[in-house]
Amino acid sequence: MSTKLYALVTTIDDVYDVYGTLDELELFTKAVERYQDVNVIQHLKKLWADLCKSYMIEAKWYHSGYKPTLEEYMDNAWISISGPVMLIHGYVFVTSPILEENLDSLMKYNDVIRLSSTILRLANDLGTLSDEIRRGDVPKSIQCYMNDFQTSEDNACEHIRYLIDETWKKLNKVEAENYVFP
């Protein structure tokens, strides 16, 4: 199931990044936002709507030639990497019974979701830099940092690795604070 989910996320991402017109993307985003069903599906619907809205932001940046700051990029990018969708779907797929309070906590994009997704985004940006530049995608974290500080790609990559390390430290601290010893 996770392979199918990942394939769907990747396909939707590519549609927003490369294939869809802004009008088509707006219609699709609105359609996903309107989808409603039972309680768990409502939570999942919000995930997909947030993901599509995040892709829409990037599509608007791309089509307008806008270069976001690193802060603007990261405020959106931890969602567009699809971390929340993958992690919360994983919770729903493997948990029985699904506890409403746990699902509500996850849906607030708690620190574990946000920090994990941030690490995934930054690591992905480092790993796909040359492909992203060649494809002409929206600027990623490295290019944003380069634009913000007028620095080299090497310096920007070093800073992104630093951000990954610092985010890991924050995530480990959050996990340690929330760990219940048996």
Side-chain angles (χ1 to χ4, degrees):
M1 185 60 153
S2 63
T3 303
K4 291 178 184 178
L5 180 61
Y6 181 75
L8 179 60
V9 167
T10 302
T11 301
I12 292 172
D13 182 32
D14 288 347
V15 168
Y16 276 86
D17 286 348
V18 180
Y19 300 108
T21 67
L22 279 178
D23 290 340
E24 292 167 339
L25 298 174
E26 295 230 353
L27 288 172
F28 182 76
T29 302
K30 287 178 183 175
V32 171
E33 287 177 316
R34 285 191 307 268
Y35 181 76
Q36 296 201 16
D37 205 341
V38 295
N39 193 34
V40 170
I41 299 303
Q42 283 289 78
H43 285 82
L44 298 180
K45 172 226 166 234
K46 180 189 180 315
L47 284 174
W48 284 100
D50 287 351
L51 182 63
C52 289
K53 286 188 257 182
S54 176
Y55 288 161
M56 190 69 209
I57 288 169
E58 291 181 354
K60 286 180 179 179
W61 289 343
Y62 176 79
H63 286 281
S64 70
Y66 181 72
K67 295 179 180 179
T69 65
L70 180 60
E71 183 178 353
E72 288 173 315
Y73 173 76
M74 291 309 301
D75 283 345
N76 186 65
W78 68 272
I79 295 174
S80 71
I81 193 62
S82 74
V85 168
M86 300 299 280
L87 292 168
I88 295 171
H89 271 78
Y91 170 80
V92 168
F93 292 150
V94 301
T95 304
S96 181
I98 296 172
L99 301 176
E100 186 68 28
E101 60 269 15
N102 292 348
L103 192 56
D104 287 343
S105 173
L106 292 173
M107 292 305 300
K108 291 176 186 163
Y109 300 136
N110 65 34
D111 286 341
V112 172
I113 299 289
R114 188 178 183 115
L115 294 170
S116 298
S117 298
T118 298
I119 292 166
L120 179 60
R121 166 47 74 196
L122 293 171
N124 180 268
D125 288 357
L126 283 173
T128 61
L129 177 63
S130 58
D131 291 336
E132 303 288 352
I133 291 171
R134 187 177 70 252
R135 192 170 64 207
D137 203 348
V138 296
K140 301 299 185 204
S141 58
I142 296 156
Q143 295 98 328
C144 292
Y145 187 81
M146 289 170 64
N147 290 336
D148 286 355
F149 296 99
Q150 303 304 305
T151 191
S152 70
E153 184 178 306
D154 287 342
N155 287 342
C157 288
E158 182 179 323
H159 182 73
I160 298 305
R161 284 189 286 276
Y162 167 80
L163 290 178
I164 292 170
D165 289 344
E166 291 302 305
T167 307
W168 268 115
K169 289 175 188 174
K170 290 177 188 174
L171 180 59
N172 289 335
K173 183 178 180 194
V174 166
E175 290 176 344
E177 289 172 353
N178 292 321
Y179 183 76
V180 178
F181 293 95

